[in-house]
Amino acid sequence: MLLFPVEFKEVKKISWFNERGSMKMYKSFGIQFYHELLEKISNNYEIIGYEKVYEKNDKKTLLIRHDIDVSLYDAVKLARIESQFNIKATYFIWLKSPFYNSLSIEHMDILKEIIELGHDIGLHFDPLNYEEFSFEQNVSEESTILKNLIKKEITAISFHQPPRSLVRSEIKHISNLPQVYSKYIFDTYEYIADSNCVWSKPIEKLLDGEFD
């Protein structure tokens, strides 16, 4: 999913979320279009990471987020393209993904490359992996594993199939990590998603630097 801009006290901000780190080639989802998209946004917005998500500023701000559900191979392709435009994204890694093993040597090398390209790493956490869980304890455990794996601080947490209790929640942090479904982020940023290769909002407004 891609996420995009809303006006907040005269501040236009964007949060962009790619749900699967996918490179599927449907209509405006090809490599060439992605280059064009990144060129446009790099000219129109200040791109930040989640370490600044709760800071207020007077600039048009863009967050790029990729929840990596399926493929780290495709994720690093996105990371390489973004680096060509000096664009930083946050890649949320699912430690218990049924589709890839982030602890394997091959995938550890991919994570290393993503970091070396200038991107941040976040934790993609699935509560359904636990019969009984404590957000603080389980998130802390997984974030520690991921932090030790990449030898770098984790910048935020996203949820795979997020619990309703957390969507637009007043909870800004879990285990000291910004959680991307907080009410503040939803109220400050307008999400434009590309789930199932269908834009949830008109992509032209992003390309033109315009917002509803």
Side-chain angles (χ1 to χ4, degrees):
M1 257 160 62
L2 294 180
L3 316 167
F4 297 105
V6 71
E7 193 159 334
F8 176 68
K9 293 185 178 178
E10 300 181 352
V11 179
K12 294 181 178 178
K13 297 179 181 291
I14 299 178
S15 177
W16 170 9
F17 164 40
N18 178 271
E19 184 176 19
R20 297 182 179 274
S22 176
M23 297 288 289
K24 292 181 179 179
M25 310 292 283
Y26 297 112
K27 296 182 179 179
S28 60
F29 293 88
I31 297 295
Q32 182 58 41
F33 176 78
Y34 197 55
H35 278 83
E36 295 171 3
L37 177 64
L38 294 177
E39 183 177 9
K40 290 280 189 179
I41 64 177
S42 65
N43 291 330
N44 290 330
Y45 308 105
E46 177 185 2
I47 299 167
I48 66 169
Y50 279 90
E51 75 280 359
K52 295 183 178 181
V53 71
Y54 292 126
E55 296 178 5
K56 294 183 179 180
N57 61 55
D58 58 357
K59 298 179 180 179
K60 293 168 65 175
T61 307
L62 168 68
L63 278 165
I64 303 179
R65 163 183 156 208
H66 304 290
D67 282 0
I68 310 304
D69 288 352
V70 176
S71 174
L72 278 173
Y73 299 111
D74 282 345
V76 74
K77 293 177 185 177
L78 294 174
R80 291 167 183 159
I81 296 171
E82 289 157 352
S83 71
Q84 294 175 22
F85 295 89
N86 294 316
I87 285 176
K88 178 175 79 169
T90 303
Y91 286 77
F92 287 83
I93 305 304
W94 189 7
L95 284 179
K96 297 189 176 183
S97 170
F99 302 105
Y100 64 88
N101 177 10
S102 55
L103 300 178
S104 71
I105 293 176
E106 185 175 13
H107 284 142
M108 286 174 62
D109 287 341
I110 290 176
L111 291 175
K112 181 180 178 182
E113 180 178 351
I114 290 173
I115 293 168
E116 290 176 345
L117 288 168
H119 303 294
D120 289 335
I121 301 295
L123 174 66
H124 194 43
F125 181 84
D126 186 359
L128 296 181
N129 284 324
Y130 299 89
E131 292 184 3
E132 296 182 3
F133 63 89
S134 160
F135 281 130
E136 289 289 338
Q137 178 180 341
N138 298 137
V139 169
S140 177
E141 290 171 352
E142 289 200 16
S143 63
T144 298
I145 292 172
L146 185 55
K147 174 183 174 180
N148 291 338
L149 179 67
I150 64 172
K151 297 178 174 58
K152 187 177 187 290
E153 292 294 331
I154 309 305
T155 61
I157 177 174
S158 69
F159 287 87
H160 187 69
Q161 300 177 350
R164 291 183 179 181
S165 60
L166 285 180
V167 177
R168 294 185 177 275
S169 165
E170 296 290 347
I171 299 173
K172 291 184 176 181
H173 297 84
I174 297 178
S175 190
N176 296 318
L177 296 172
Q179 74 99 353
V180 302
Y181 296 101
S182 72
K183 184 178 186 297
Y184 177 90
I185 293 177
F186 269 79
D187 288 348
T188 307
Y189 292 81
E190 180 176 346
Y191 289 67
I192 298 181
D194 70 347
S195 293
N196 300 314
C197 293
V198 176
W199 293 102
S200 64
K201 302 272 179 77
I203 189 62
E204 293 80 10
K205 292 188 177 181
L206 174 71
L207 296 174
D208 295 338
E210 300 177 0
F211 310 121
D212 294 331

